[in-house]
């Protein structure tokens, strides 16, 4: 059974069931009301159970899938160097799985149906067993059907083998809808702008808002919308912190003058968040679980799948607003940091939505150049299979790892970029890359089709080949006008940002619209999922398998 077969059947089955059930499944005595945030679990033997029910969001029940009766599921608190035996019980009526996002482990334990194991059948169970070799902030989530979008995720905190834990809080950011995710996908396939409720209008033009007329006409000729920041927005999503909606919020306590570590995880299926605490600097001390030299900023963007550890030291005995604003500024997740229970922070209003530029189209070229001639010039990317699923090729993609993210330039305060990150420890493999692999992130906004090199997961019959232990540079070129957080399972890679031996190590990298990003990696043996962590982009095909085999079994092209 191939991944494409499994995914297609699972998605079709889930879609069909969802269309029959409407918003999810009926509320009633047989469907439990889940807790918002689970208890911590630790030790070498842990059992997790997936089940369906409802999650209360701002007082209204939403169909959900929980782990051990809560959304998020329990926080797994582990110790570097321990053995771990995780038994997952599936009480759902469909296949299930759990993937350990960012953990270094044998590929058979990675938890991706059709790639590393067959999945967990309804009423079945599976036991994962592996050593915990690292420390840091990670998370886990389902890799089956729409379960991740419905709440099947939780945090992993691994304490280092040596050292004492400090004061900390875990904040799991997510997005959740009151309609089934299959309805969202159905609507996007009918109209990719279905959830873009902030389109450019004539009234806005007359009031001097947004882009001037000439630029609007240019975008119209390309059949593109500069307001297409997120394909799923606050029009249908509610943004959560630890399972709590924006109206109720989530509260955490601190001691004035004492440092507090915030372990922030973006478990959202379809949302980038811009994080800030007005009036309080954020000291970034880890990215994707890896320690970095502390860097102080006022705001940062976190993509789906990424984690950041932030250290804050609130000086005053007052409440602070933790703001996680969606990148398109259609909503926000909220939390209050306060020295005493019951205190409420004052939250700022949403900022005006940002607009894309020609740079986000990979076309930041001199005046007079012909955009029409370069929109779909396949000669610029010979390996891309041109077809109806590819509506543009970036004519001039540039390294955008020094950019803070769409809409975060020129705010007048410090915003984190990947260039600001320096690994605390030197990279473990200092060899120069033997060869380079280029992968284009492709799609058609209008048809809501997503792919790599113009091929969906179903149509790409060959995996990406790697040799065990070789040193490879992977360059990702974004041929779309949306940012994509690309995740490589089972590996930490060294992001190429000019930081030499202290290049930041990550498992997920956001490739900005029309831009590119490179990382060096030493492949581990096995079959590993490699995909966009915007859930519906992955489900529609922006995914491949990285196949790593001994050199004698592989034929690859030299650099």
């Amino acid at each position: 059974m191939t991944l494409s077969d499994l995914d297609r059947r699972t998605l079709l089955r889930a879609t069909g069931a969802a269309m029959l059930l409407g918003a999810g499944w009926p509320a009633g005595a047989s469907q439990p009301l889940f807790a918002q945030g689970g208890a911590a679990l630790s030790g070498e033997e842990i059992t997790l159970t997936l089940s369906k029910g409802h999650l209360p969001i701002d007082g209204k029940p939403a169909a959900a899938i929980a782990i051990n009766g809560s959304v998020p599921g329990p926080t797994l608190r582990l110790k570097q160097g321990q053995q771990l035996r995780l038994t997952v019980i599936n009480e759902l009526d469909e296949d299930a799985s759990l993937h350990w996002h960012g953990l270094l482990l044998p590929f058979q334990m990675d938890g991706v149906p059709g790639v590393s194991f067959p999945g967990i059948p309804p009423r079945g169970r599976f036991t994962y067993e592996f050593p915990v070799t690292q420390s840091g902030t990670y998370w886990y989530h389902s890799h089956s059907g729409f379960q991740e979008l419905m709440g099947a995720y939780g945090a992993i905190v691994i304490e280092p083998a040596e050292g004492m834990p400090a004061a900390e809080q875990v904040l799991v950011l997510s997005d959740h809808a009151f309609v089934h995710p299959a309805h969202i996908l159905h609507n996007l396939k009918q109209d990719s702008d279905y959830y873009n409720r902030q389109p450019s209008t004539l009234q806005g033009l007359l009031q001097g808002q947004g882009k001037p007329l000439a630029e609007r006409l240019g975008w119209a000729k390309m059949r593109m919308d500069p307001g297409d920041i997120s394909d799923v927005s606050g029009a249908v999503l509610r943004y959560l912190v630890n399972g709590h909606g924006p109206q109720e919020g989530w509260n955490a306590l601190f001691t004035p003058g004492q440092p507090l570590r915030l372990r922030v995880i973006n478990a959202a299926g379809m949302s980038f968040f811009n994080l800030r605490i007005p009036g309080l600097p954020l000291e970034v001390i880890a990215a994707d679980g890896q320690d970095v030299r502390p860097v102080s900023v006022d705001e940062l963007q976190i993509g789906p799948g990424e984690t950041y550890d932030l250290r804050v030291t609130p000086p005053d005995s007052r409440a602070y607003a933790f703001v996680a604003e969606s990148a398109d500024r259609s909503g926000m997740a909220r939390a209050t940091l306060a020295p005493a229970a019951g205190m409420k922070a004052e939250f700022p209003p949403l900022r005006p939505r940002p607009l894309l530029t020609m740079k986000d189209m990979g076309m930041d070229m001199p005046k007079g150049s012909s955009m029409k001639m370069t929109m779909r010039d396949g000669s610029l990317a010979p390996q891309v299979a041109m077809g109806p699923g590819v509506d543009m090729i970036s004519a001039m993609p540039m390294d955008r790892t020094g950019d803070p993210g769409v809409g975060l330039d020129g705010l007048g305060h410090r915003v984190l970029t990947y260039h600001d990150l320096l690994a605390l420890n030197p990279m473990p493999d200092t060899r120069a890359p033997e060869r380079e692999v280029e992968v284009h992130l492709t799609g058609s906004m209008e048809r809501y089709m997503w792919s790599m090199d113009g091929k969906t997961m179903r149509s790409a019959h060959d995996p990406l080949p790697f040799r065990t232990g070789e040193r490879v540079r992977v360059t990702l070129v974004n041929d779309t006008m949306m940012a994509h957080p690309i995740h490589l399972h089972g590996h930490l890679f060294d992001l190429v940002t000019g930081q030499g031996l202290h290049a930041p190590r990550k498992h997920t990298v956001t490739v900005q619209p029309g831009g590119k990003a490179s990382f060096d990696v030493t492949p581990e043996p096995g079959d590993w999922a490699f995909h966009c962590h915007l859930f519906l982009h992955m489900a529609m095909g922006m995914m491949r398998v990285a196949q790593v085999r001994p050199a004698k079994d592989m034929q690859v092209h030299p650099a």
Side-chain angles (χ1 to χ4, degrees):
M1 179 181 295
T2 67
L3 174 69
S4 55
D5 294 334
L6 180 63
D7 266 1
R8 186 167 182 270
R9 279 211 316 274
T10 303
L11 285 171
L12 287 174
R13 190 163 49 240
T15 302
M19 298 304 280
L20 290 173
L21 289 171
W25 28 80
S30 62
Q31 299 295 336
L33 200 60
F34 293 138
Q36 295 159 294
L41 295 177
S42 59
E44 295 192 349
E45 295 270 355
I46 292 175
T47 299
L48 300 174
T49 302
L50 292 110
S51 61
K52 68 179 183 180
H54 290 87
L55 174 68
I57 299 177
D58 292 336
K60 181 180 176 182
I65 292 175
I67 301 171
N68 289 14
S70 69
V71 177
T75 296
L76 307 185
R77 290 196 169 272
L78 309 174
K79 189 81 171 178
Q80 184 182 21
Q82 74 162 87
Q83 288 289 321
L84 183 61
R85 183 178 168 85
L86 277 158
T87 297
V88 177
I89 300 173
N90 178 14
E91 292 187 350
L92 305 175
D93 300 323
E94 61 189 47
D95 286 356
S97 61
L98 284 180
H99 157 63
W100 320 103
H101 187 107
L103 296 197
L104 307 177
L105 36 63
F107 83 95
Q108 301 92 335
M109 299 290 110
D110 191 49
V112 181
V115 176
S116 54
F117 85 138
I120 309 172
R123 313 301 167 186
R125 64 176 59 199
F126 183 84
T127 297
Y128 303 79
E129 192 166 4
F130 53 88
V132 178
T133 62
Q134 61 207 100
S135 62
T137 304
Y138 306 94
W139 62 298
Y140 61 97
H141 60 86
S142 171
H143 233 289
S144 298
F146 293 101
Q147 293 160 20
E148 180 192 340
L149 285 176
M150 299 188 73
Y153 50 77
I156 300 175
V157 175
I158 307 176
E159 294 293 343
E162 305 291 338
M164 296 293 292
E168 66 173 42
Q169 297 287 347
V170 178
L171 292 88
V172 179
L173 310 178
S174 62
D175 47 21
H176 205 106
F178 289 103
V179 299
H180 195 283
H183 279 270
I184 296 175
L185 178 58
H186 174 79
N187 290 336
L188 289 170
K189 293 295 287 184
Q190 302 300 313
D191 177 3
S192 62
D193 285 332
Y194 190 89
Y195 296 108
N196 181 4
R197 305 296 168 84
Q198 303 181 83
S200 299
T201 63
L202 176 60
Q203 183 180 11
L205 176 64
L206 295 175
Q207 293 176 344
Q209 300 171 352
K211 292 187 178 295
L213 178 60
E215 288 191 33
R216 291 183 185 220
L217 293 174
W219 283 85
K221 287 180 180 177
M222 294 187 295
R223 303 175 72 181
M224 299 291 184
D225 181 352
D228 252 341
I229 309 298
S230 303
D231 40 19
V232 188
S233 70
V236 68
L237 296 173
R238 295 296 178 270
Y239 303 111
L240 314 182
V241 177
N242 293 339
H244 294 263
Q247 298 306 313
E248 56 190 356
W250 178 80
N251 293 356
L253 299 179
F254 67 81
T255 301
Q258 297 293 316
L260 176 68
R261 184 179 193 134
L262 304 177
R263 298 181 183 268
V264 186
I265 299 165
N266 188 353
M270 293 301 295
S271 304
F272 288 81
F273 292 106
N274 298 328
L275 310 181
R276 69 188 197 274
I277 302 177
L280 198 59
L282 308 173
E283 196 175 20
V284 181
I285 57 175
D288 286 2
Q290 311 307 300
D291 291 339
V292 297
R293 296 178 184 176
V295 54
S296 187
V297 298
D298 298 300
E299 186 165 2
L300 71 149
Q301 184 172 91
I302 182 171
E306 291 187 305
T307 75
Y308 281 103
D309 287 22
L310 312 174
R311 185 164 56 206
V312 296
T313 308
D316 304 317
S317 294
R318 68 176 179 90
Y320 290 86
F322 177 91
V323 178
E325 191 177 49
S326 65
D328 67 345
R329 296 170 186 166
S330 62
M332 69 170 65
R334 300 177 175 183
T336 293
L337 306 180
M343 297 178 70
K344 293 293 183 184
E346 183 175 345
F347 287 87
L350 290 170
R351 296 173 291 188
R353 68 158 184 169
L355 293 173
L356 298 173
T357 66
M358 284 296 108
K359 189 177 181 181
D360 300 313
M361 295 285 288
M363 296 179 177
D364 192 17
M365 57 186 68
K367 288 184 177 180
S369 300
S370 173
M371 292 182 294
K372 186 175 181 180
M373 294 297 293
T374 56
M375 275 287 291
R376 294 187 79 249
D377 186 352
S379 67
L380 299 174
Q383 78 267 42
V384 172
M386 300 299 292
V390 178
D391 62 11
M392 62 174 274
I393 295 292
S394 296
M396 299 181 66
M398 59 182 68
D399 184 340
R400 299 192 66 186
T401 53
D403 287 4
V406 173
L408 295 178
D409 275 321
L411 293 178
H413 62 213
R414 300 163 298 176
V415 184
L416 184 76
T417 76
Y418 286 144
H419 283 195
D420 296 322
L421 299 175
L422 279 84
L424 195 61
N425 300 308
M427 63 174 65
D429 190 341
T430 59
R431 293 176 296 163
E434 303 165 31
R435 64 188 183 99
E436 181 170 2
V437 175
E438 187 172 278
V439 177
H440 285 249
L441 311 176
T442 45
S444 169
M445 298 288 289
E446 195 167 278
R447 295 176 174 86
Y448 205 72
M449 299 170 69
W450 302 101
S451 56
M452 289 181 170
D453 288 337
K455 301 174 184 175
T456 66
M457 183 67 188
R458 293 194 68 217
S459 61
H461 301 296
D462 297 323
L464 294 173
F466 295 92
R467 294 187 296 252
T468 304
E470 68 172 337
R471 191 66 169 163
V472 187
R473 175 159 297 178
V474 177
T475 294
L476 303 167
V477 181
N478 190 346
D479 288 321
T480 79
M481 53 189 278
M482 283 196 164
H484 298 286
I486 302 299
H487 174 50
L488 175 61
H489 285 224
H491 291 76
L492 293 171
F493 49 75
D494 304 301
L495 205 56
V496 180
T497 57
Q499 303 295 9
L501 297 180
H502 289 273
R505 307 203 78 204
K506 292 179 70 35
H507 50 63
T508 305
V509 57
T510 293
V511 189
Q512 296 296 335
K516 60 182 180 181
S518 297
F519 61 79
D520 295 342
V521 65
T522 305
E524 294 292 333
D527 291 341
W528 304 99
F530 179 54
H531 62 88
C532 178
H533 226 279
L534 288 168
F535 183 93
L536 295 179
H537 293 189
M538 177 191 72
M540 290 296 94
M542 192 176 279
M543 177 174 180
R544 296 289 293 275
V545 173
Q547 187 176 73
V548 186
R549 296 289 186 270
K552 63 182 178 60
D553 299 332
M554 300 295 291
Q555 289 186 346
V556 297
H557 301 292

